[in-house]
Amino acid sequence: MNEQSRNPVVIVGGGFGGLAAARALHHLKGEVILIDRMNHHVFQPLLYQVATAALSPADIAWPLRTLLRAQRNVRIMMDEVRAIDRSARRIELRNSEPVSYSSLILSPGARHSYFGHNTWEQDAPGLKTLPDALEIRERMLMAFEKAERLKGTPEARDELTFVIVGGGPTGVELAGALAEIGRKAMTPDFPVLHQAASRILLIEGGPRILEAFPPALSSRAQASLESLGVTVLLNCRVHDVTSKGVMAGSEFINSAHVIWAAGNVASPILASLGVPLDSSGRVIVGPDLSLKEDPWVFVIGDAAHCLSAQQKPLPGLAAVAMQEGRYVAGIIAGCVPEGQRSAFRYRDRGILATIGRAKAVAQFGPISLSGVVAWLAWCFVHIFFLIGFRNRARVMFEWIWYYVTFKPGARLIYWKDRRINPQ
Amino acid sequence: MNEQSRNPVVIVGGGFGGLAAARALHHLKGEVILIDRMNHHVFQPLLYQVATAALSPADIAWPLRTLLRAQRNVRIMMDEVRAIDRSARRIELRNSEPVSYSSLILSPGARHSYFGHNTWEQDAPGLKTLPDALEIRERMLMAFEKAERLKGTPEARDELTFVIVGGGPTGVELAGALAEIGRKAMTPDFPVLHQAASRILLIEGGPRILEAFPPALSSRAQASLESLGVTVLLNCRVHDVTSKGVMAGSEFINSAHVIWAAGNVASPILASLGVPLDSSGRVIVGPDLSLKEDPWVFVIGDAAHCLSAQQKPLPGLAAVAMQEGRYVAGIIAGCVPEGQRSAFRYRDRGILATIGRAKAVAQFGPISLSGVVAWLAWCFVHIFFLIGFRNRARVMFEWIWYYVTFKPGARLIYWKDRRINPQ
């Protein structure tokens, strides 16, 4: 490490994993460079609340520079990684000179996978970033405006038909939030639209939604969604997506609003590593999260294919990424050589998913929770893990406000390219 | 009015004037239609705080439908007015069928005037809408990112040179806020940039800034700006704007960021009325704010050229527009015929402008205030006039947070068309 240690530790991606790693390196003598395309860290588990107008972008995002301002050894670069040159040990960037590294932590995250049909993305946007969330929010709000104009026509019905593909936590939370906002917040603002004008369908390819949870909780979540008016289609595969709707199983569902929450594919920059990737584009890492080919290049978070103690790949959760980030930072800070590293072990603290107001499911080890108790646990955990007093106070205030008034605060249409022509 | 009264009262524009008129018509038996291009009302006096990342869009904007939800006689149309056909008494819209009216209230507002040089707009955006504010916010935040990358070059200096054209309240408030944010919030996040790297120039064509205020307050405001590091250029005319900077007087100032806050021109739809307009495109209305040619078509707010008791045109203030809206609503609700209308009188309750933290100027009748007292008055008045408990609580919280921490909350770069390439 002596010769290398003149070069900085480079972290690619300021999500949960990258940020946790940067923070865990606060005692490191050398420089740490954190590179991200965006200037902010996003609390992804609440992104669906921005997409459904319950929260504002600034409620769940923080400038990376401010988060790491006090940490003198960290330098932030807002830039896009174009390639990783392992032989030269450096990163090529879009706008800056290449950056050399002594060790490298890759946490570039994942995008939605369209199963080889990338053209579907245009008609079925996913939800991974703030621009994604604002895109969905604007489409949802414009749908009601257009439906009112087109009242009584088949187009109006299609405008208010929302199809969500993928029954994981993102899909379930989006479906629940859309159903609630449609019925409780939007309908009173559009008196000419019929109460049941808005239809929400959740399409899942497998036999149950929330497959990471025990089957009993999946059924409870499904019942909660159905009580909100969501139609859940199980064992249903999407064969095509167009601007008119989706081909789901053998039926074509007319819908102007298809949202994609199915499957992930890891960041394309991993391909430049020249190492084996799994079918989701993730790097197959060793038990210490490093490349088999390079013990000082680590991959964490959604970009890593890492096996659990039960030999199953670890799930794409914030908790996994954060623990991985801290673990890798420990190896780097301690200069632990390859042969002396203990394997990474994920400590599962539980999983939660919310369906709507006072409706959620939670699994903490052997304990299954649902209903109000799970929902309160969900609220508590999400407030707790938000960064900083300001955002906790704002989000809590917004939730209480919404709970009491059913008037989500961020129902604004201002996306630039639609300003002139709201059609 | 009998034959006409089957048709609705139509209000064009949901700004201060239009919204006040709609609310004042709550007892009207007939229908009221409010048409706006956007789905929300914006509290324009705080727009500069969105542009400087202190507040989020949802802190100062509200969906029009929700604001007027309880008022059963109001219908909202989100659409763009293409023309007003006075002979047929109807409004032509971009996306909907034409709407007929019995009486018409026009409050379409104004855009910035580039004194015949409309091509300057691209390099010198103005600040009238939420998209404008987000555009300026993003440019400001990207400037620091680029300057860090270009450190030490002349381009870096130009990136951090902000030129604001126009020394009215908008220009003064923007200049003060930019100076404060640059020094207190951004510099700690960019340690490689020199403390004084950011330059802010405020260019005013007349002999003093804030010309609506007494001269003593103008000087105090200028001294406050200068204490924040703003360079104020008086009696200085802008002859050209390019992507490289501005030609101000006989000097070319290199700047990548020119913001336009000088002069207004009323909405172009007023031209379709076929009535005389003043040099700013405003309709010259009678003492009852109606057209001389048509007693049931009223023009209010920034779109109206209306003389005060002192025979001077009324200023473009929220208070003027709101009083005009209520006055016109009274005439329509009371079906007051042309000859029996008392002239509109503006009741001046005072003017305020803030320069920065604990710095402001205020004029209430004969009383001039400056410094902390004026600033507290400014805070109180702006919180008071915000609509609703939620926004008051949020804005107050953000201000206190910013006052204590100097970390404005909304420093996020996510504008869509720059997502891929942050260059």
Side-chain angles (χ1 to χ4, degrees), chain A residues 222-299:
Chain A
Q222 184 171 342
S224 293
L225 280 176
E226 285 165 350
S227 75
L228 288 170
V230 176
T231 305
V232 180
L233 303 177
L234 299 175
N235 299 306
C236 180
R237 296 211 151 266
V238 167
H239 300 296
D240 196 16
V241 180
T242 71
S243 61
K244 303 282 179 208
V246 291
M247 190 73 200
S250 56
E251 187 198 1
F252 190 83
I253 301 169
N254 287 294
S255 161
H257 304 283
V258 182
I259 301 166
W260 198 262
N264 283 325
V265 61
S267 167
I269 63 161
L270 299 169
S272 67
L273 285 170
V275 299
L277 307 176
D278 73 2
S279 61
S280 304
R282 296 179 297 184
V283 174
I284 298 164
V285 291
D288 64 347
L289 306 174
S290 74
L291 300 188
K292 294 185 186 78
E293 297 80 1
D294 196 333
W296 295 102
V297 174
F298 302 88
V299 186

Side-chain angles (χ1 to χ4, degrees), chain B residues 146-218:
Chain B
K146 278 167 106 173
E148 188 186 53
R149 271 204 297 273
L150 301 167
K151 183 167 62 107
T153 64
E155 290 80 25
R157 195 198 55 211
D158 298 352
E159 274 298 334
L160 292 184
T161 302
F162 297 87
V163 174
I164 295 150
V165 183
T170 301
V172 166
E173 297 186 328
L174 252 179
L178 276 175
E180 246 181 25
I181 290 215
R183 298 197 154 192
K184 301 280 175 62
M186 298 303 279
T187 326
D189 282 355
F190 293 85
V192 305
L193 295 176
H194 191 265
Q195 176 80 15
S198 168
R199 272 178 80 207
I200 290 140
L201 295 98
L202 179 65
I203 299 180
E204 165 59 38
R208 60 189 178 93
I209 59 170
L210 297 179
E211 58 143 7
F213 288 77
L217 287 186
S218 293

Side-chain angles (χ1 to χ4, degrees), chain A residues 66 80 189 394 398 420, chain B residues 66 69 80 189 394 398 420:
Chain A
T66 307
E80 192 180 333
D189 282 355
R394 279 172 69 100
E398 289 290 297
I420 302 308
Chain B
T66 307
R69 187 193 272 189
E80 192 181 333
D189 282 355
R394 278 172 70 100
E398 289 291 295
I420 303 307

Side-chain angles (χ1 to χ4, degrees), chain A residues 117-151:
Chain A
H117 302 279
N118 289 337
T119 53
W120 294 358
E121 183 163 17
Q122 200 187 332
D123 297 313
L127 181 59
K128 288 279 185 199
T129 64
L130 283 178
D132 293 344
L134 291 171
E135 170 82 26
I136 290 174
R137 178 177 94 180
E138 192 116 322
R139 287 192 189 203
M140 186 252 308
L141 296 171
M142 281 304 297
F144 281 84
E145 298 287 344
K146 278 167 106 173
E148 188 187 55
R149 271 205 296 272
L150 301 167
K151 183 168 61 106

